[in-house]
Amino acid sequence: GAGVSQSPSNKVTEKGKDVELRCDPISGHTALYWYRQRLGQGLEFLIYFQGNSAPDKSGLPSDRFSAERTGESVSTLTIQRTQQEDSAVYLCASSQRGTGLSPLHFGNGTRLTVT
Amino acid sequence: DQQVKQNSPSLSVQEGRISILNCDYTNSMFDYFLWYKKYPAEGPTFLISISSIKDKNEDGRFTVFLNKSAKHLSLHIVPSQPGDSAVYFCAASGQTGANNLFFGTGTRLTVIP
């Protein structure tokens, strides 16, 4: 079956512009996560959805970042007024259950470059 | 504050030999550990996991060892194959929720043919 799909795969934007990143999780997966990986660093947790509610937004780095999810389907991560430090690969993952016992299935990521 | 640490950014191994990737963690509440493998331009893929009630889990050429007292785990790959060349991430979790899944910075493994 289809895996986690992310779009676009690459995005170059000018500093100060807004961007929207999209994630289509695996069908039937109730949990959805956003991570980012900046150059030379590990995966940084951003936000977690269980269904369409977000019980944990603790990883969002600033109020310029927001995310929403429609039901148990598509999620969008929005970054407003992008800054150069937002440049990273943004990874989406889904899992059947929102517990550490359920491995995450990752998409290929969106590489965001802010110039 | 990095709760999961992979202190070796890279490792090179001859084909056929054993690869050993190490990972240390600081939070004693972690009770589930995973290894993910990542190829360039792809997302990480789940490789193997271990619960804190075990000290070893084996799956084919891959074995994960957990030393709870030392807060250390390792991934052994034997025999190593060129296709194993990738970045390997260690991750740790508390069972209360995957939002507690913490990743290390990764180790780039190169298997030399």
Side-chain angles (χ1 to χ4, degrees):
Chain A
V4 176
S5 176
Q6 292 187 246
S7 61
S9 55
N10 281 284
K11 176 72 177 178
V12 180
T13 190
E14 291 181 354
K15 178 181 172 182
K17 296 284 181 68
D18 298 351
V19 295
E20 191 172 278
L21 312 180
R22 177 187 169 108
C23 173
D24 285 272
I26 293 173
S27 178
H29 280 192
T30 59
L32 185 147
Y33 312 82
W34 284 97
Y35 285 83
R36 75 175 176 182
Q37 184 181 19
R38 290 191 277 193
L39 191 64
Q41 299 187 19
L43 277 69
E44 177 187 358
F45 169 77
L46 297 179
I47 189 170
Y48 155 65
F49 287 92
Q50 184 65 39
N52 64 359
S53 67
D56 190 346
K57 302 180 182 178
S58 63
L60 294 178
S62 78
D63 59 8
R64 296 186 295 105
F65 287 71
S66 63
E68 61 180 27
R69 186 180 185 195
T70 307
E72 294 186 354
S73 184
V74 172
S75 176
T76 54
L77 176 69
T78 302
I79 310 172
Q80 296 177 309
R81 305 181 303 281
T82 53
Q83 304 294 312
Q84 288 184 332
E85 63 263 27
D86 300 334
S87 296
V89 175
Y90 288 81
L91 290 160
C92 176
S94 68
S95 70
Q96 288 184 321
R97 299 180 301 276
T99 74
L101 301 178
S102 184
L104 306 186
H105 299 261
F106 283 87
N108 288 340
T110 293
R111 180 176 296 279
L112 175 65
T113 304
V114 181
T115 61
Chain B
D1 183 31
Q2 197 74 25
Q3 297 193 48
V4 178
K5 300 178 183 179
Q6 293 177 259
N7 293 319
S8 297
S10 63
L11 175 69
S12 291
V13 172
Q14 280 299 130
E15 179 178 5
R17 306 294 286 268
I18 185 171
S19 296
I20 301 176
L21 298 101
N22 293 303
C23 178
D24 297 289
Y25 60 96
T26 58
N27 190 338
S28 59
M29 298 302 291
F30 288 149
D31 56 8
Y32 192 64
F33 305 89
L34 309 92
W35 284 93
Y36 283 81
K37 175 180 178 179
K38 185 180 184 303
Y39 292 117
E42 295 183 10
T45 55
F46 170 72
L47 189 58
I48 193 170
S49 63
I50 188 168
S51 166
S52 61
I53 61 173
K54 294 185 173 182
D55 54 18
K56 176 182 175 181
N57 188 27
E58 188 173 352
D59 183 3
R61 296 184 298 112
F62 302 91
T63 303
V64 56
F65 295 91
L66 176 63
N67 182 333
K68 290 185 290 293
S69 61
K71 296 193 183 67
H72 177 84
L73 65 155
S74 61
L75 175 67
H76 292 208
I77 307 173
V78 56
S80 301
Q81 300 174 353
D84 296 331
S85 297
V87 177
Y88 289 79
F89 289 96
C90 169
S93 168
Q95 290 192 8
T96 53
N99 47 301
N100 290 331
L101 191 60
F102 294 90
F103 283 85
T105 51
T107 297
R108 181 178 300 278
L109 174 65
T110 302
V111 180
I112 303 164

